[in-house]
Amino acid sequence: MFRNQYDSDTTVWSPQGRLFQVEYAMEAVKQGSATVGLKSRDYAALIALCRTSKEAEDSPNSPLQRKIMPVDAHMGMSIAGLTADARIVCQHLRSECMSFRHSYDTDYPVQRLVTNLGIKLQATTQRYNRRPFGVGMLIAGYDEKGTHIFQVMPSANVFNCKAMAIGSRSQSARTYLERHLDSFMDSTKQDLICHGIQAIRGALGNQDSSEFTINVAIVGKDEPFKIFNETENQIYFEIAKTMGNPVTSDAEDARSIGGMIDMMDDMLEHGPSGSGSGPALDTDEESNAGLEPRPQ
């Protein structure tokens, strides 16, 4: 009722002990397009929904506003929330990675970089002359410790995850990830991507899928961070729809998926992709559909 008396800056607490500016930033994440991150032992994948603008519909050559951003050869991030804020954060991460590589001639450890990012975001919740970044991020990376999926929120909470979805209608995606969590262990790279696409399809709800474009990125062992092009995105989307067809028998499903993968390899002019396996989410107390991770 008296919220407007306590939301002028981030250092003013309400009588209930709330920081409304931080809550506004969290709300911006909830209103953003959904994005999913999941990993196996050798690969980490990011899948994001990108809203199709009217300009892109009128002109097919008009670029879309990407929701997946490369950070370094071994790392990238997908976003939900304010894209302008995400560009500032991404530029900071790129600068840190370049400085670390110049000093030590190696990749910046993913966990250390994300921890330092959380410290930077925390400062914006404590100073009256700054506002919290209104963007949530899923950061995927691969280093000497293996694959990583980190969730970073405007409140400066950093979570180490094995599968997570953020953004609008992301609860449906988290439910799918929980239901198929055990199958990620033996998933190939193609299966891992298809599981992510299947999860994010649930975030569409009753909305027209033609208004959205799916962006996919992968990073892993012996494979630098790569954002797929439109052709690859469409091929994987068709494969995922085949996997989700309940009337198709297992044999027909396997033949259809195998044929699509062969067609994809011919179109992209590379051999079959490797396989990977990995666990599910690091958490002791399961909440939020069993996928709420433990703060680091």
Side-chain angles (χ1 to χ4, degrees), residues 47-87:
I47 299 92
L49 283 180
C50 179
R51 287 192 176 93
T52 304
S53 63
K54 294 182 179 180
E55 291 79 6
E57 293 175 354
D58 298 336
S59 176
N61 296 326
S62 178
L64 296 176
Q65 192 175 49
R66 298 293 178 180
K67 297 297 183 181
I68 299 180
M69 302 179 180
V71 174
D72 202 359
H74 69 299
M75 187 190 319
M77 70 180 193
S78 62
I79 65 170
L82 302 180
T83 308
D85 288 2
R87 287 198 295 265

Side-chain angles (χ1 to χ4, degrees), residues 85-142:
D85 288 2
R87 287 198 295 265
I88 299 297
V89 176
C90 186
Q91 186 60 43
H92 167 74
L93 294 178
R94 290 171 180 172
S95 299
E96 291 293 306
C97 288
M98 287 189 293
S99 298
F100 191 90
R101 188 181 301 276
H102 180 269
S103 300
Y104 302 101
D105 194 25
T106 187
D107 294 336
Y108 204 135
V110 179
Q111 185 169 357
R112 187 191 305 181
L113 178 61
V114 175
T115 300
N116 291 338
L117 175 61
I119 296 173
K120 175 181 174 64
L121 298 183
Q122 177 65 23
T124 65
T125 68
Q126 295 176 311
R127 299 176 182 175
Y128 71 92
N129 60 340
R130 302 291 298 276
R131 68 167 177 81
F133 289 97
V135 60
M137 294 160 282
L138 293 179
I139 298 178
Y142 182 87

